[in-house]
Amino acid sequence: MKVFEFNEQNVDNAPTILVLGYFDGLHRGHQTLFDKARELAAEKKATISVLTFPESPILVFEKFNENLLKQLTSKEKRNQLFEENGVDFLYFTDFTSHFAKLTSHDFIEKYLKKLAISAIVIGFDYQFGSDHGSLAQLSEYDAYQVSELTDMGEKISSSRIRQAIVDGDVTLANRLLGYDYEISGLVVHGEARGRTIGYPTANIESKSMQYLPLIGVYVVDIAVGDKQYRGMASIGYNDTFGGKNKTLEVNIFDFHDEIYGETVTVYFLKFIRGMIKFDSVDALITQMDDDEKIARDF
């Protein structure tokens, strides 16, 4: 897959199936668009292209808060998912105030007509241009609008997945995503209390603007180098020890190496329990023994 900043010099001239959307998380609903794109690409002997944005368009319209910068995946993971879904050419353009003022006609003239489009695939709720163009404005193209995908009677959407993660329901989030929610980060030095009670942890600092699940304890897998291990993760403030900073710590089962400075990836599999302030260290250890059994048995 080739990744470009969209401009006339960068576009590929081969016949292509263009998929339009923002695609935060590239979840199961989004994946149905790429199923259709691959079908059309095989039929028309065309490549698959995506025209999208590096950041959420909502940034241009709403008062800023840091959540507007957060995404369900890192930029690297998002690109990986596009490639896994068959994308050959990934084009980014910034969603700015000027871009937001383009009409659907302007968008077609300035962007779509620069590509050799064999067909266009959009989602059921896709709109574009300041006049909120939809399928009707794409009538000069062979355009396909893919129906919504539901789970348990509700639409699969990025906002529903975000809420599930914030609520700690990683089981639901993973089902809607079609893969396990993950966060990558650097292993850094922490307070080193875990090793004193028999549960050493890797303290992980992520540089990605992603949603951290609800405070609590989780069953996780963690990728270290080219190997994957089971573990249990704690997200919280180390209340028992009077901690002040929110941390992500992982106790990696059957692992005894030092990995400071390494980048690891944590896959959240199941919520075990909320965070508890224990009256004693012994009570904490007893609970962690129970947590470990749940995690190993998952």
Side-chain angles (χ1 to χ4, degrees), residues 38-285:
R38 289 194 300 274
E39 175 191 321
L40 290 166
E43 174 189 317
K44 296 175 180 288
K45 295 181 172 53
T47 64
I48 298 175
S49 299
V50 169
L51 175 57
T52 190
F53 315 106
E55 309 294 347
S56 172
I58 297 174
L59 277 163
V60 173
F61 302 108
E62 293 189 6
K63 182 179 178 181
F64 178 76
N65 67 78
E66 68 172 12
N67 283 338
L68 295 181
L69 286 176
K70 292 182 180 178
Q71 298 178 325
L72 292 171
T73 62
S74 66
K75 296 186 188 316
E76 295 78 12
K77 177 67 175 181
R78 189 182 183 211
N79 287 3
Q80 176 193 327
L81 288 167
F82 278 126
E83 186 164 21
E84 289 175 358
N85 277 273
V87 176
D88 299 294
F89 300 98
L90 177 58
Y91 298 106
F92 285 106
T93 189
D94 291 329
F95 197 102
T96 63
S97 297
H98 292 292
F99 184 91
K101 290 175 182 175
L102 294 176
T103 64
S104 54
H105 173 78
D106 294 335
F107 178 70
I108 291 169
E109 292 294 319
K110 292 177 180 292
Y111 288 88
L112 302 194
K113 288 195 174 178
K114 308 304 181 187
L115 296 164
I117 295 172
S118 294
I120 294 177
V121 180
I122 59 174
F124 71 96
D125 57 353
Y126 181 78
Q127 294 184 328
F128 65 103
S130 56
D131 54 339
H132 306 294
S134 58
L135 191 65
Q137 279 68 39
L138 297 172
S139 58
E140 65 183 282
Y141 296 99
D142 186 14
Y144 298 83
Q145 190 160 35
V146 177
S147 301
E148 73 175 7
L149 187 67
T150 61
D151 180 277
M152 301 294 287
E154 288 187 57
K155 177 180 71 173
I156 296 177
S157 66
S158 299
S159 57
R160 185 180 173 196
I161 296 166
R162 286 192 288 268
Q163 191 59 54
I165 291 166
V166 170
D167 291 343
D169 192 350
V170 295
T171 301
L172 173 60
N174 292 347
R175 193 172 77 233
L176 300 180
L177 284 167
Y179 57 89
D180 295 328
Y181 187 69
E182 66 179 66
I183 291 178
S184 295
L186 286 172
V187 178
V188 300
H189 284 278
E191 299 294 335
R193 292 194 185 97
R195 69 183 61 183
T196 68
I197 60 173
Y199 280 98
T201 60
N203 292 265
I204 298 162
E205 284 292 330
S206 175
K207 295 183 288 185
S208 298
M209 291 296 290
Q210 287 180 256
Y211 294 86
L212 199 61
L214 180 73
I215 288 173
V217 178
Y218 294 83
V219 181
V220 299
D221 281 343
I222 181 168
V224 182
D226 58 358
K227 292 186 178 180
Q228 197 156 299
Y229 303 85
R230 177 56 50 86
M232 55 183 182
S234 170
I235 298 174
Y237 296 91
N238 285 315
D239 290 342
T240 302
F241 297 99
K244 302 296 183 184
N245 298 317
K246 192 174 185 179
T247 60
L248 167 59
E249 302 177 41
V250 179
N251 174 241
I252 309 172
F253 300 157
D254 309 314
F255 185 83
H256 307 289
D257 197 6
E258 287 197 348
I259 51 173
Y260 297 113
E262 293 192 31
T263 297
V264 299
T265 301
V266 181
Y267 302 90
F268 292 87
L269 306 181
K270 180 184 177 182
F271 180 80
I272 298 177
R273 62 173 173 85
M275 200 55 66
I276 303 167
K277 184 174 182 179
F278 294 92
D279 294 331
S280 67
V281 173
D282 287 342
L284 170 62
I285 294 172

